[in-house]
Amino acid sequence: MVTVTTPSPEQLSQLTTKELAALSAAVWATFTPAHIAALTLEQVASLKPTAFSKLPAELMTAFTPDDLQVLSTSVIKALNTAQIGALTADEFGQLTPGQVASLQPKQLGAMSVDQFSAFSVDQVAQRNPTQVKSLTTDLIAALQPDELAALNAKAVAALSASQVRALSVEQIQALTPDQAAVFTGNQGAGLTADQLTAMAPEALSALSTAAIRAITATTLTALAPELIQQFSPGQIAALGASQITALGSAGIDALTADQLHGLSSVQIRALSTTQIGVLSAEDLAALGSRGLASFGSAQISSLSAE
């Protein structure tokens, strides 16, 4: 049986960084809070992942905020989920942006909402796409609006449809045009009518065509006519035939002359006779000769009936 000799806290504080590095994981497993408190900042900064491989999770709270800030990113990456879970929200708030950026997906997934909410805007801004993908919907919902706005475009593009659905109206309001411009089709499919309504006009008009094409018929049907008018002609032109039908008569009636002029032949042929019926003379003029030539016989008949 191997006997493990544990130095006293005072002895530990006197060790050189080289001597400290020579201590086995088995020795670290015997340490108490007094041992951790005895470590100097220089010693803490020199620690290697090996030192934490068997360190009891409850000892993580013995590190001071200054101690935590000097831990290397290699140590941060090596912390197990129990050690991550033992850190308080205040301790998470003391981590440097670089340390936060080094957190692994599994570690982020082990965090509580309280821990996650302790991150500052600068810390959140360091999140990379892989980290964002690992966040639970509860953690996504815990982001403050200014924190969401601080995410870079690549991180925003990594959000899943379920993560997008978890965003509150207040969070959606904080989206920037640059973030909206990178929304993917999957994310567009996750958007609700309330979320689209909450978007700032400049963000809504910047929403990518991929996202526009993926908005569900149910969501489009629920949009207020005045919101539909805020879409750019290019965004309206990106809608599929079934989406055009989903706009309903009120949605078609709300389209501006520029939006109508940009409709394709496929979109025009998708208009129901009821939708055709709400078009005014000015609307028909906006469609132009090319648009009018796209009408099918049933659509022409509905015009004649009017």
Side-chain angles (χ1 to χ4, degrees):
M1 182 177 180
V2 178
T3 301
V4 176
T5 302
T6 304
S8 68
E10 183 180 359
Q11 292 172 325
L12 184 65
S13 68
Q14 300 301 314
L15 296 180
T16 66
T17 55
K18 185 175 182 180
E19 291 170 331
L20 192 67
L23 294 178
S24 68
V27 172
W28 281 92
T30 66
F31 284 173
T32 65
H35 285 89
I36 302 301
L39 293 170
T40 67
L41 276 180
E42 181 184 6
Q43 289 176 314
V44 173
S46 73
L47 295 178
K48 306 298 182 188
T50 305
F52 287 81
S53 63
K54 293 189 180 299
L55 189 71
E58 59 268 20
L59 293 189
M60 292 301 299
T61 57
F63 287 99
T64 68
D66 288 340
D67 289 335
L68 292 174
Q69 288 187 333
V70 299
L71 288 176
S72 68
T73 54
S74 62
V75 166
I76 295 295
K77 288 180 182 179
L79 295 178
N80 60 46
T81 54
Q83 291 168 331
I84 287 290
L87 291 172
T88 66
D90 287 342
E91 287 172 328
F92 266 107
Q94 296 298 323
L95 296 179
T96 67
Q99 289 173 320
V100 173
S102 71
L103 288 169
Q104 301 301 292
K106 187 176 181 180
Q107 294 172 314
L108 287 169
M111 293 176 63
S112 68
V113 170
D114 285 343
Q115 290 173 319
F116 189 77
S117 297
F119 284 138
S120 67
V121 174
D122 287 341
Q123 290 173 317
V124 171
Q126 297 297 317
R127 300 275 161 72
N128 59 52
T130 302
Q131 290 177 316
V132 169
K133 286 179 182 178
S134 71
L135 299 178
T136 64
T137 52
D138 285 342
L139 295 183
I140 288 292
L143 282 171
Q144 294 300 308
D146 57 345
E147 292 174 335
L148 181 67
L151 291 176
N152 62 52
K154 289 184 178 179
V156 170
L159 291 169
S160 68
S162 59
Q163 287 173 319
V164 169
R165 280 192 294 271
L167 294 175
S168 68
V169 166
E170 291 75 21
Q171 289 172 312
I172 288 290
Q173 287 173 335
L175 284 174
T176 68
D178 287 343
Q179 291 174 322
V182 299
F183 260 51
T184 65
N186 283 338
Q187 292 171 324
L191 287 170
T192 66
D194 287 342
Q195 289 175 321
L196 285 169
T197 302
M199 276 191 185
E202 58 270 22
L204 184 65
S205 62
L207 195 61
S208 70
T209 53
I212 292 291
R213 291 191 187 102
I215 296 174
T216 66
T218 301
T219 295
L220 287 170
T221 300
L223 295 182
E226 55 267 26
L227 181 68
I228 293 171
Q229 289 181 332
Q230 293 182 33
F231 286 112
S232 70
Q235 290 174 315
I236 293 295
L239 293 173
S242 61
Q243 291 175 305
I244 288 292
T245 303
L247 291 178
S249 298
I252 294 301
D253 190 39
L255 294 180
T256 66
D258 286 341
Q259 290 173 322
L260 285 167
H261 186 71
L263 293 180
S264 69
S265 298
V266 172
Q267 290 175 313
I268 291 172
R269 285 194 293 271
L271 294 172
S272 68
T273 54
T274 305
Q275 288 174 315
I276 292 290
V278 301
L279 294 176
S280 66
E282 290 79 8
D283 293 334
L284 293 172
L287 289 175
S289 57
R290 178 185 58 81
L292 294 175
S294 301
F295 282 141
S297 57
Q299 292 172 314
I300 294 174
S301 296
S302 69
L303 283 173
S304 301
E306 293 294 319

